[in-house]
Amino acid sequence: MTPETRRPGRRPGSADTRGEILTAARRVFAEKGFDKATVRGIAREAKVDPALVHHYFDTKEGMFAAAMQLPITPHDVIPLLVDGPREEIGERLVRLLLRVTASPETREPMVALIRSAMTNEQAAAMFREFISNALLYQVAERLQVPHLRIEAAFAQMFGVVMARYVIKLEPMASASHDELVEILAPTVQRYFTG
Amino acid sequence: MTPETRRPGRRPGSADTRGEILTAARRVFAEKGFDKATVRGIAREAKVDPALVHHYFDTKEGMFAAAMQLPITPHDVIPLLVDGPREEIGERLVRLLLRVTASPETREPMVALIRSAMTNEQAAAMFREFISNALLYQVAERLQVPHLRIEAAFAQMFGVVMARYVIKLEPMASASHDELVEILAPTVQRYFTG
């Protein structure tokens, strides 16, 4: 930020305020977890009016995604999964995840969140609550699929992202999207349609 | 170790020598990765005769498993997978992994190895080479299954272990072995039998 754009104090609508809300959000999510964090609490931490938080971020999910710099929110993902033919949900989910993780800019924030969840109990609780309540449970409810099956599908795709981009197992790291869809889509499909 | 059992200097057969070989092995594996580490190099690092290393550890795989305190070696796992009816390999693999990860004493060293692979590039290379060459490629060769399919099965079970024990997603964290076998065994089976 250049001296010209940096202003003292806070104004509604300045980039500054948005950044300060996100900094406060990261602190509150890390401390309280996803479930117990509230828009009101984050506004208090950022010393702004809750209405301003709502102005920038529609939902707590959206604020979490922005705070963690995630490339997609459950709000984007859920319709992509739930809408469209049920018999193609496996392929839709696999292609979506491969697309989102293909470029380092969108992948790295997700991997960073997972890394901290693997090594820090507080970060694990935050990740668990976010993934469960904002994503997996929503999908399970909307599609009327048992939660354990949604988690099995999550585990498959989580493992693929780790194997492909973090452990870099070959041939998985170099496989094309089509090759991976061919192998993985039937697994995910089976979890969703039994 | 009590003062009575702790002896100065090294003797073949003392608990000391074995421990020193393992310390040297951890150092060499971390530095060179699994592929480039040799029994000879580890013996040199531990300042013992290579024959002594072979006396304690049959193979490089066995030495790696002991150095990382892994509860099972590929030498144990591969026959369990490869022997027995091919149409039950899904269930055998899922049950084996659930059994091995059920108690914290056997699970923690595996999780520790994965954690360091997730956060450290050198540890990731070591883990990748070990998993690929000592386990996944061996299984792919013996069963004549494409490598990518073996890696998809690995990714599924890796994700399950992370979701169940590290992220602790519910209901997966509390699910019984039978519930998990029912959901996961068909996936693994499909990867192995197409």
Side-chain angles (χ1 to χ4, degrees):
Chain A
M1 206 168 264
T2 65
E4 282 72 31
T5 60
R6 181 82 175 75
R7 304 284 165 86
R10 284 186 201 94
R11 304 175 309 154
S14 77
D16 228 355
T17 309
R18 188 176 186 278
E20 280 161 25
I21 294 171
L22 289 178
T23 303
R26 275 188 287 272
R27 217 153 41 216
V28 172
F29 283 129
E31 210 170 279
K32 302 210 176 265
F34 179 76
D35 290 353
K36 287 194 186 132
T38 60
V39 167
R40 188 168 293 277
I42 290 167
R44 203 183 309 122
E45 180 79 16
K47 302 193 176 68
V48 300
D49 192 276
L52 193 59
V53 177
H54 279 298
H55 164 76
Y56 284 113
F57 308 101
D58 268 353
T59 59
K60 186 163 81 166
E61 287 74 15
M63 188 155 45
F64 183 89
M68 303 300 150
Q69 303 182 283
L70 300 182
I72 40 168
T73 68
H75 190 80
D76 308 323
V77 174
I78 293 171
L80 280 172
L81 288 185
V82 170
D83 301 344
R86 175 75 82 109
E87 67 275 16
E88 292 166 10
I89 196 167
E91 176 158 354
R92 279 205 303 284
L93 175 60
V94 175
R95 287 207 186 274
L96 171 66
L97 198 79
L98 291 173
R99 201 162 60 233
V100 170
T101 56
S103 94
E105 295 80 53
T106 52
R107 182 173 68 243
E108 278 313 317
M110 301 172 71
V111 171
L113 184 62
I114 292 169
R115 277 203 177 101
S116 55
M118 317 256 35
T119 49
N120 174 300
E121 181 49 50
Q122 225 175 9
M126 183 180 80
F127 182 67
R128 171 173 63 246
E129 291 170 4
F130 172 68
I131 283 289
S132 293
N133 298 336
L135 185 60
L136 304 180
Y137 280 27
Q138 302 293 331
V139 173
E141 294 301 319
R142 304 255 193 122
L143 295 175
Q144 290 290 301
V145 175
H147 291 179
L148 192 56
R149 293 187 150 260
I150 303 287
E151 291 180 357
F154 168 80
Q156 173 70 80
M157 296 315 295
F158 179 93
V160 166
V161 170
M162 293 296 102
R164 183 169 164 89
Y165 295 113
V166 180
I167 310 173
K168 301 190 182 90
L169 286 182
E170 288 294 355
M172 188 169 277
S174 309
S176 70
H177 289 199
D178 286 344
E179 285 175 288
L180 290 170
V181 166
E182 192 191 330
I183 281 190
L184 300 167
T187 294
V188 175
Q189 188 64 42
R190 191 180 63 78
Y191 290 138
F192 279 87
T193 48
Chain B
M1 206 167 257
T2 65
E4 283 73 29
T5 59
R6 181 78 174 78
R7 305 283 166 84
R10 285 189 200 92
R11 306 175 307 157
S14 76
D16 229 355
T17 309
R18 188 177 186 278
E20 281 161 23
I21 293 171
L22 288 179
T23 303
R26 275 188 287 272
R27 216 152 42 216
V28 172
F29 283 128
E31 208 170 284
K32 300 210 177 263
F34 179 75
D35 290 354
K36 286 193 187 135
T38 60
V39 166
R40 188 168 294 275
I42 291 168
R44 202 182 312 120
E45 180 78 17
K47 302 192 176 68
V48 300
D49 194 277
L52 193 59
V53 177
H54 279 297
H55 164 77
Y56 284 113
F57 308 100
D58 268 353
T59 58
K60 186 164 80 165
E61 286 75 13
M63 187 155 45
F64 183 89
M68 302 300 150
Q69 304 183 283
L70 300 181
I72 41 169
T73 67
H75 190 79
D76 308 323
V77 174
I78 292 170
L80 280 173
L81 288 186
V82 171
D83 300 345
R86 174 75 82 112
E87 67 275 15
E88 292 166 11
I89 196 167
E91 176 160 355
R92 280 206 301 284
L93 175 60
V94 176
R95 287 205 186 276
L96 170 67
L97 198 78
L98 290 172
R99 202 162 59 234
V100 170
T101 57
S103 94
E105 295 80 54
T106 52
R107 181 174 68 243
E108 278 313 316
M110 300 172 72
V111 171
L113 183 62
I114 292 169
R115 277 205 177 98
S116 55
M118 318 255 37
T119 48
N120 173 300
E121 182 49 51
Q122 221 174 15
M126 183 180 81
F127 183 66
R128 171 174 62 246
E129 291 171 5
F130 173 68
I131 283 289
S132 292
N133 297 336
L135 184 59
L136 304 180
Y137 279 27
Q138 302 293 330
V139 173
E141 294 300 319
R142 304 255 193 123
L143 294 176
Q144 290 290 299
V145 175
H147 290 181
L148 192 56
R149 294 187 149 259
I150 303 286
E151 290 179 359
F154 168 80
Q156 172 71 82
M157 298 314 296
F158 179 92
V160 166
V161 170
M162 293 296 102
R164 183 170 163 89
Y165 294 112
V166 180
I167 311 172
K168 301 191 181 89
L169 287 182
E170 289 294 356
M172 189 169 276
S174 309
S176 71
H177 288 199
D178 286 344
E179 285 174 289
L180 290 169
V181 166
E182 192 189 330
I183 281 190
L184 301 168
T187 294
V188 176
Q189 187 65 41
R190 189 179 63 80
Y191 290 137
F192 280 88
T193 49

